[in-house]
Amino acid sequence: DQQVKQNSPSLSVQEGRISILNCDYTNSMFDYFLWYKKYPAEGPTFLISISSIKDKNEDGRFTVFLNKSAKHLSLHIVPSQPGDSAVYFCAARFYNQGGKLIFGQGTELSVKP
Amino acid sequence: EPEVTQTPSHQVTQMGQEVILRCVPISNHLYFYWYRQILGQKVEFLVSFYNNEISEKSEIFDDQFSVERPDGSNFTLKIRSTKLEDSAMYFCASSPTGVSGYEKLFFGSGTQLSVL
C-alpha cells in the first residue's frame, strides 16, 4: 500500500533555515491531509492540516502547500529550531472516512544548532 | 491539555496468549481508534469505534482482534491469540467528531507489544 509516500527518510537542516518536507499521494479521493510530528516514546502529535479545496494553510512557523494536479504536498518550517527535530508523518483521509488516516513512512528531521 | 493515556507502556507476552491493551480517551471525545506501527513500517489504521460499535476496520483487524468500551472512560483492544507478527507499537487515538468534521486525532503514547 503506497497511497501516501514520503520519499525522504531523513532531512538535516541548520537552525534558522527552512525545512521542507515532501509527501506524494496517488489517490485523488483523498479530501484532507494532515501532518503529524512524533518524538521518540510518544504518540504522533497533530501539527497542521489542509483541505483538498485549498492550496495553502499557515500556522505560525508551519505552512502546508498542496498541489492537487501533482498530487503533492509539502510542509515548510521557517525558521527551523532544534526542538523541531522529530519524525514527521504526512497523512491523508478519504472523503467521508473520518479518522481513518493513511500515513506515509515518515521523514526524520534533524535541526542542528 | 487533555491527553489520551495508554497502559501499559510495554507488554511482553508469549505467542498464543491473549492480551488486552488499555486506553483512556479524552473525556468529551466521541470517536475512538486503534492504530499500530510495526518497527520500520508505517502507522496503520486498525479500527474506529463510535456509539459502542465498530464504524470501520481494516483488513488487519481480523477475528483475533476485538475492541470494547467497558465503561464510560476506557477503550480496550484485545488480541485473542497473539502471533509473532502482532509485535508492534499500538496507538490509541480519539477525536471529538468523526466523519462530519475536519477534526484532528489525538494519539496516546502507545503500548509496545512484544510477542515471543
Side-chain angles (χ1 to χ4, degrees):
Chain A
D1 178 5
Q2 293 290 314
Q3 296 193 77
V4 178
K5 286 195 291 188
Q6 294 175 255
N7 291 316
S8 298
S10 62
L11 175 68
S12 184
V13 170
Q14 207 67 30
E15 180 180 6
R17 297 291 189 95
I18 184 171
S19 295
I20 300 176
L21 297 104
N22 294 303
C23 178
D24 297 295
Y25 63 95
T26 56
N27 199 317
S28 56
M29 295 302 292
F30 289 137
D31 75 331
Y32 197 55
F33 302 90
L34 307 91
W35 285 93
Y36 277 83
K37 178 170 74 171
K38 185 181 181 304
Y39 294 116
E42 294 184 13
T45 302
F46 172 78
L47 196 56
I48 192 169
S49 62
I50 189 167
S51 163
S52 61
I53 61 173
K54 298 192 173 184
D55 54 21
K56 179 182 173 181
N57 187 28
E58 196 171 348
D59 184 2
R61 296 185 298 115
F62 303 92
T63 303
V64 56
F65 295 93
L66 175 62
N67 183 334
K68 284 184 68 177
S69 61
K71 293 191 174 68
H72 177 84
L73 64 156
S74 61
L75 173 68
H76 293 210
I77 306 174
V78 182
S80 302
Q81 300 173 353
D84 296 330
S85 297
V87 178
Y88 289 78
F89 292 99
C90 168
R93 187 191 80 168
F94 286 105
Y95 171 74
N96 230 26
Q97 286 195 357
K100 180 183 176 182
L101 301 178
I102 310 297
F103 281 86
Q105 303 95 315
T107 297
E108 183 171 10
L109 173 66
S110 175
V111 180
K112 301 195 183 304
Chain B
E1 184 173 330
E3 58 182 27
V4 176
T5 56
Q6 290 185 244
T7 55
S9 57
H10 292 87
Q11 175 93 47
V12 181
T13 189
Q14 295 291 325
M15 189 170 59
Q17 295 295 304
E18 174 183 288
V19 293
I20 297 176
L21 308 183
R22 303 179 191 279
C23 169
V24 178
I26 295 173
S27 63
N28 62 344
H29 285 187
L30 301 176
Y31 291 80
F32 315 112
Y33 313 89
W34 285 100
Y35 282 76
R36 78 174 186 188
Q37 185 179 26
I38 294 171
L39 186 64
Q41 297 186 24
K42 295 183 179 185
V43 177
E44 302 173 289
F45 169 81
L46 293 179
V47 65
S48 58
F49 189 86
Y50 169 71
N51 202 24
N52 279 322
E53 60 183 28
I54 291 173
S55 47
E56 188 147 10
K57 60 183 180 180
S58 71
E59 293 172 353
I60 304 167
F61 195 89
D62 61 22
D63 291 344
Q64 292 299 312
F65 292 87
S66 62
V67 289
E68 192 179 28
R69 188 153 164 83
D71 52 43
S73 60
N74 291 285
F75 180 51
T76 62
L77 174 68
K78 182 193 291 186
I79 309 174
R80 289 189 184 82
S81 177
T82 50
K83 303 178 212 146
L84 295 176
E85 54 265 37
D86 294 328
S87 296
M89 177 71 86
Y90 286 80
F91 294 106
C92 174
S94 68
S95 65
T97 62
V99 170
S100 59
Y102 287 137
E103 80 293 347
K104 57 184 187 265
L105 270 63
F106 293 80
F107 284 84
S109 296
T111 293
Q112 179 64 55
L113 176 65
S114 298
V115 182
L116 305 178

